[in-house]
Amino acid sequence: MASNSVSPARPTSANENLLQVTSHLQALSGLLGGQADAAIWRRDVPVGVQSWLDSLPAAQLPTGRFLVKAADVSACITGLCEAAGLSPHPARDWLCEDTARLALYICDAFDAPYIRLRLEAVSDDACRKFHIDNLVSRLICTYRGPGTQISLDTSESDPSPIHDVPTGAPILLKGRLWPQSQDLTLRHRSPPISGTGITRLVLVLEGASEKDAAAAEHDVWYARH
């Protein structure tokens, strides 16, 4: 299976309209207003931040799953870092601030009062099958390790070509509950890494309404102290 990085200027896909790439965070959701199934914010993570993230022992990667107000996301991630034993560091500050920026953007873009936030250390082949999520939309940002893989090939097995979202680049994906989403084509998956010794750090954000929050089964309510 061929696997390629997504070009910052020209999406390498069978149908360029289904995958858009922007250099501006604020343009992400707007790009989904047309034919696009997904949009990527192509950016560079500061070198010092990436080297700090890559150097962390896998056991010290901050992890958690919460329902949280956007204004409290930075404090929530800071708490996860402290619980993981990570000392104050400029790169840690950047991670907390970046997560908060992405969460606030999702809340504003989708008029959502809450964020469903998942920060995971992944070392297996979780979500290894290509799929479309059964929700309105989802933002995924891989801070460490190989990024999310995407494909426009609808084959049930061994799709080709496969493209890699760059590490540090957030991707906003339409789900099956997006209005008029019956013709979605682009699918995604976590890259297979089992047995490689790689541990990824992946952020997943979804806007949540009062009704969504009340029905949450697997998320912890975060209350800022």
Side-chain angles (χ1 to χ4, degrees):
M1 293 182 291
S3 181
N4 308 294
S5 293
V6 176
S7 163
R10 185 179 179 85
T12 54
S13 65
N15 185 337
E16 292 178 1
N17 292 328
L18 297 180
L19 174 64
Q20 296 293 319
V21 180
T22 179
S23 58
H24 303 287
L25 172 61
Q26 298 303 319
L28 273 182
S29 62
L31 292 174
L32 299 192
Q35 295 181 351
D37 287 0
I40 296 171
W41 176 24
R42 184 61 185 261
R43 59 166 183 177
D44 293 320
V45 174
V47 174
V49 172
Q50 196 61 65
S51 60
W52 177 80
L53 285 166
D54 292 344
S55 69
L56 293 177
Q60 277 196 291
L61 292 175
T63 62
R65 184 167 180 159
F66 294 94
L67 276 164
V68 57
K69 293 182 179 179
D72 293 336
V73 167
S74 182
C76 178
I77 300 299
T78 298
L80 291 179
C81 289
E82 291 174 347
L86 298 178
S87 301
H89 189 282
R92 194 188 84 168
D93 294 341
W94 184 93
L95 176 66
C96 298
E97 292 165 3
D98 190 66
T99 304
R101 171 171 52 167
L102 296 176
L104 182 60
Y105 172 73
I106 293 297
C107 281
D108 288 345
F110 296 99
D111 194 25
Y114 302 103
I115 281 289
R116 179 171 283 117
L117 179 156
R118 189 167 80 246
L119 189 62
E120 289 185 309
V122 181
S123 57
D124 57 16
D125 291 347
C127 297
R128 66 184 181 275
K129 293 184 178 181
F130 280 97
H131 63 282
I132 298 172
D133 295 314
N134 191 35
L135 41 70
V136 175
S137 66
R138 171 175 281 169
L139 183 144
I140 303 173
C141 181
T142 302
Y143 285 114
R144 164 174 154 162
T148 298
Q149 293 186 327
I150 55 179
S151 180
L152 291 166
D153 184 350
T154 57
S155 302
E156 288 298 322
S157 61
D158 202 27
S160 180
I162 295 170
H163 304 292
D164 302 313
V165 178
T167 302
I171 180 170
L172 184 61
L173 297 143
K174 285 180 179 176
R176 296 190 185 280
L177 300 186
W178 185 280
Q180 300 177 341
S181 64
Q182 63 271 20
D183 295 325
L184 292 179
T185 301
L186 186 145
R187 298 180 297 156
H188 67 280
R189 72 171 182 184
S190 297
I193 57 171
S194 182
T196 65
I198 294 172
T199 300
R200 304 168 64 227
L201 182 64
V202 184
L203 173 72
V204 181
L205 298 174
E206 302 159 23
S209 66
E210 296 274 0
K211 182 179 179 181
D212 294 331
E217 296 181 2
H218 305 292
D219 304 295
V220 177
W221 277 99
Y222 176 81
R224 190 170 185 173
H225 300 293

